[in-house]
């Protein structure tokens, strides 16, 4: 048994000695081809003319593929089927792969793609939340709205109301090992795929679909990754499919890895959000109602944006009991990389919205932000020895006898640490949070009798 025993990581000696093998460390057979994408220089428009003759004549180039040369549409999407491997005539974001080069070395492929001559017919891209809303550019027929209670009535009756907007940027995953794949053709058209991916099964599905192979004709191996954080859940599909297409067409092994500049240009990031809110509360800071409107910029393809946006809605209460809550979510289609999975998967965006609300409430009342948070926590779960359990805890059952535990025949029950919670707040704690003398610079907004409450507007911006 490994429980309670310190055990070294099975690959720790390999990691610290530099012997751990990643995709780019795997020795390749003679004749292996190296791939690179030629990328779009504009965010939105159509390709009027493409001249790849200089690319084909570049040193080391073996073959060049456009969308029309592929064995299928080679869809890379994890959801809607709206991400072709190569753009075709229509361009949807700056950095979108337009053509594929196979050469005798990584450097030769990278140099060759820069020799392309492409003429575009540009159109105005949809980039911002406001532009997307004005164009009604979205991935669903309208916003998704989830409600608990009647937030509008509760806001109208609340003693105090604040309103504001918080804008949070996306982030680059910046895994130490970039996106990479190596495909070795096998007998009878089968493929062996080495991929730095968080989702080997999806790689198998996508490669098989692109080459019209049965699933058992594609074997995917992922020994380890040098970081992923969600950025290798679906973003590795394109590299694996490209390598498989080249391997199938030439009968030679094919390898692809993005240099960091291409990686950051092609792949999706965390969804950035704009969240607008109105919150009603009493003089103790206890929330009566919150109305959120969440705007997520999802990029050019759907990817995993719908469940990410759903989770942002589900986390909009975080740890706080809000009697009346309304959350409206807009999943906007924009001419950027397709935003994708990132640690927390929408949860951090939703939680940051309500945390901003509570900070705003604390500032309006001149109270300690922690005190306001504690006033709004969901009720504490019942003690572990309570007959009915807690909010989400199973019903308590009789634990093992002390004799059974002493003889090693049973494990002890979980320790009750509820008494260790920190209730008292020292002055040092207040000072460390900057909450001392946090008097508001304006009167607390009070709802006039018989009318709507006055709204104080506030903007907060968190840069990426």
């Amino acid at each position: 048994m490994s429980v309670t025993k310190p055990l070294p990581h099975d690959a720790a000696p390999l990691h610290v000695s530099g012997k751990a093998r990643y995709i780019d460390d795997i020795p390749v057979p003679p004749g292996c081809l190296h791939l690179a994408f030629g990328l779009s220089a504009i965010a939105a428009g159509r390709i009027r003319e493409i001249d790849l003759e200089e690319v084909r004549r570049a040193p080391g180039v073996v073959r060049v593929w456009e969308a029309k040369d592929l064995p299928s549409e080679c869809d890379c999407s994890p959801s809607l089927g709206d991400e072709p491997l190569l753009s075709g005539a229509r361009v949807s974001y700056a950095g979108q792969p337009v053509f594929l080069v196979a050469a005798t070395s990584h450097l030769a492929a990278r140099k060759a793609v820069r020799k392309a001559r492409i003429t575009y017919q540009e159109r105005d891209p949809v980039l911002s939340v406001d532009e997307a809303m004005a164009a009604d550019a979205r991935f669903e027929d309208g916003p998704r709205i989830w409600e608990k209670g009647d937030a509008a009535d509760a806001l109208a009756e609340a003693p105090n109301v604040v309103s504001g907007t918080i804008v949070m940027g996306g982030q680059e995953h910046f895994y130490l090992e970039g996106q990479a794949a190596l495909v070795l053709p096998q007998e009878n058209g089968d493929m062996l795929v080495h991929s730095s991916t968080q989702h080997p099964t999806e790689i198998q599905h996508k490669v098989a679909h692109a080459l019209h192979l049965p699933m058992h004709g594609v074997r995917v191996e992922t020994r380890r990754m040098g970081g992923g954080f969600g950025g290798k859940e679906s973003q590795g599909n394109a590299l694996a499919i490209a390598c498989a297409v080249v391997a199938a067409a030439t009968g030679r092994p094919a390898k692809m890895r993005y240099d960091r500049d291409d990686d950051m240009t092609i792949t999706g990031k965390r969804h950035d959000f704009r969240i607008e809110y109105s919150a009603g509360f009493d003089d103790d800071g206890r929330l009566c109602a919150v109305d959120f409107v969440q705007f997520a910029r999802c990029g050019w393809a759907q990817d995993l944006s719908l469940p990410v946006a759903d989770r942002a809605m589900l986390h909009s209460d975080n740890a706080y009991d809000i009697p009346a809550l309304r959350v409206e979510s807009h999943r906007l289609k924009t001419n950027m990389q397709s935003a994708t999975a990132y640690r927390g998967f929408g949860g951090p965006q939703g939680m940051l919205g309500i945390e901003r609300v509570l900070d705003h409430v604390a500032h309006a009342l001149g109270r300690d932000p922690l005190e306001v948070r504690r006033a709004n926590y969901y009720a504490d779960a019942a003690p572990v020895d309570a007959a009915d359990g807690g909010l989400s805890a199973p019903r308590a059952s009789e634990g093992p006898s002390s004799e059974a535990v002493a003889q090693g025949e049973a494990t002890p029950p979980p320790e009750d640490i509820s008494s260790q919670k920190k209730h008292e707040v020292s002055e040092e704690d207040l000072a460390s949070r900057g909450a001392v003398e946090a008097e508001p610079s304006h009167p607390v907004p009070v709802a006039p009798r018989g009318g709507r409450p006055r709204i104080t507007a506030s903007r907060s911006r968190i840069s990426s």
Side-chain angles (χ1 to χ4, degrees):
M1 296 262 321
S2 60
V3 177
T4 74
K5 297 179 181 178
L7 295 177
H9 190 285
D10 60 351
L14 299 177
H15 288 155
V16 299
S17 64
K19 296 177 181 178
R21 180 175 289 182
Y22 296 88
I23 301 299
D24 203 34
D25 301 318
I26 298 174
V28 297
C32 181
L33 297 175
H34 299 261
L35 315 185
F37 286 128
L39 308 180
S40 167
I42 67 168
R46 298 185 66 83
I47 295 176
R48 297 178 59 183
E49 184 178 356
I50 180 168
D51 182 359
L52 301 179
E53 288 307 310
E54 289 295 322
V55 177
R56 293 185 172 92
R57 289 199 293 266
V61 171
V62 174
R63 188 166 170 179
V64 178
W65 284 260
E66 298 178 54
K68 62 185 179 181
D69 304 316
L70 298 174
S72 67
E73 63 180 5
C74 294
D75 175 60
C76 303
S77 167
S79 55
L80 193 60
D82 58 348
E83 291 188 50
L85 178 66
L86 302 176
S87 68
R90 181 180 178 183
V91 173
S92 299
Y93 76 96
Q96 183 174 7
V98 174
F99 63 94
L100 173 67
V101 169
T104 54
S105 72
H106 175 74
L107 183 60
R110 288 265 292 171
K111 287 183 175 180
V113 298
R114 285 159 172 73
K115 296 180 180 293
R117 297 178 181 178
I118 304 176
T119 303
Y120 302 95
Q121 181 179 349
E122 293 190 58
R123 67 169 177 83
D124 292 336
V126 175
L127 298 176
S128 70
V129 166
D130 292 335
E131 290 169 349
M133 290 294 290
D136 196 29
R138 60 178 73 244
F139 285 104
E140 294 172 305
D141 55 357
R144 292 296 176 262
I145 301 173
W146 296 346
E147 295 181 282
K148 168 190 173 184
D150 191 328
D153 283 353
L155 282 170
E157 297 174 2
N160 312 297
V161 172
V162 293
S163 178
T165 299
I166 180 171
V167 178
M168 60 200 79
Q171 293 89 45
E172 163 66 34
H173 301 86
F174 213 81
Y175 22 68
L176 290 180
E177 178 198 24
Q179 301 281 352
L182 169 64
V183 173
L184 307 175
Q186 307 291 296
E187 62 184 17
N188 198 33
D190 290 357
M191 295 290 164
L192 170 57
V193 181
H194 295 276
S195 175
S196 182
T197 177
Q198 294 173 255
H199 201 337
T201 301
E202 185 167 289
I203 294 287
Q204 180 193 38
H205 291 178
K206 289 299 178 180
V207 169
H209 180 265
L211 298 183
H212 307 292
L213 293 174
M215 296 297 179
H216 66 262
V218 179
R219 188 168 86 251
V220 180
E221 293 186 9
T222 303
R223 179 65 185 88
R224 60 174 56 85
M225 288 185 303
F229 320 117
K232 292 178 179 175
E233 187 167 336
S234 62
Q235 302 297 291
N237 294 349
L239 297 89
I241 293 171
C243 289
V245 166
V246 171
T250 64
R252 297 166 64 173
K255 178 180 177 180
M256 188 176 204
R257 66 172 174 86
Y258 291 159
D259 278 6
R260 188 63 68 178
D261 54 350
D262 281 350
D263 201 323
M264 296 180 71
T265 300
I266 297 170
T267 63
K269 323 300 176 193
R270 186 191 292 278
H271 292 71
D272 57 53
F273 269 62
R274 186 172 86 193
I275 300 179
E276 299 172 356
Y277 62 86
S278 293
F281 54 99
D282 63 23
D283 294 337
D284 294 324
R286 184 74 177 85
L287 293 173
C288 307
V290 180
D291 188 338
F292 284 118
V293 183
Q294 300 178 344
F295 303 90
R297 291 198 306 169
C298 301
W300 76 284
Q302 182 173 291
D303 198 85
L304 298 169
S305 293
L306 301 192
V308 167
D310 284 349
R311 189 165 178 185
M313 298 176 76
L314 291 167
H315 282 261
S316 60
D317 59 344
N318 198 11
Y320 310 107
D321 187 5
I322 306 171
L325 175 63
R326 181 182 184 274
V327 187
E328 178 179 317
S329 174
H330 298 263
R331 296 88 188 272
L332 303 176
K333 187 173 184 178
T334 54
N335 292 114
M336 310 179 306
Q337 303 101 324
S338 178
T340 189
Y342 201 114
R343 276 208 167 159
F345 205 75
Q349 293 94 315
M351 289 186 285
L352 190 55
I354 187 61
E355 295 297 335
R356 167 60 183 147
V357 166
L358 292 170
D359 281 340
H360 197 165
V361 169
H363 180 75
L365 294 174
R367 302 190 67 169
D368 173 24
L370 180 56
E371 180 184 344
V372 171
R373 283 170 167 80
R374 282 179 170 158
N376 286 281
Y377 282 155
Y378 278 110
D380 288 339
V384 292
D385 59 351
D388 293 331
L391 292 176
S392 59
R395 289 181 178 272
S397 59
E398 284 202 31
S401 65
S402 57
E403 293 80 5
V405 172
Q407 295 174 9
E409 298 173 356
T411 57
E415 179 187 2
D416 181 1
I417 62 171
S418 60
S419 62
Q420 299 177 24
K421 291 188 298 183
K422 181 179 178 182
H423 290 287
E424 297 300 325
V425 181
S426 67
E427 287 299 322
E428 290 75 15
D429 288 330
L430 287 172
S432 69
R433 294 192 303 278
V436 175
E437 299 178 354
E439 294 294 332
S441 58
H442 53 78
V444 176
V446 178
R449 292 183 179 179
R452 292 283 298 173
R454 294 195 298 272
I455 305 295
T456 57
S458 173
R459 290 189 64 83
S460 173
R461 186 173 191 87
I462 295 180
S463 302
S464 59

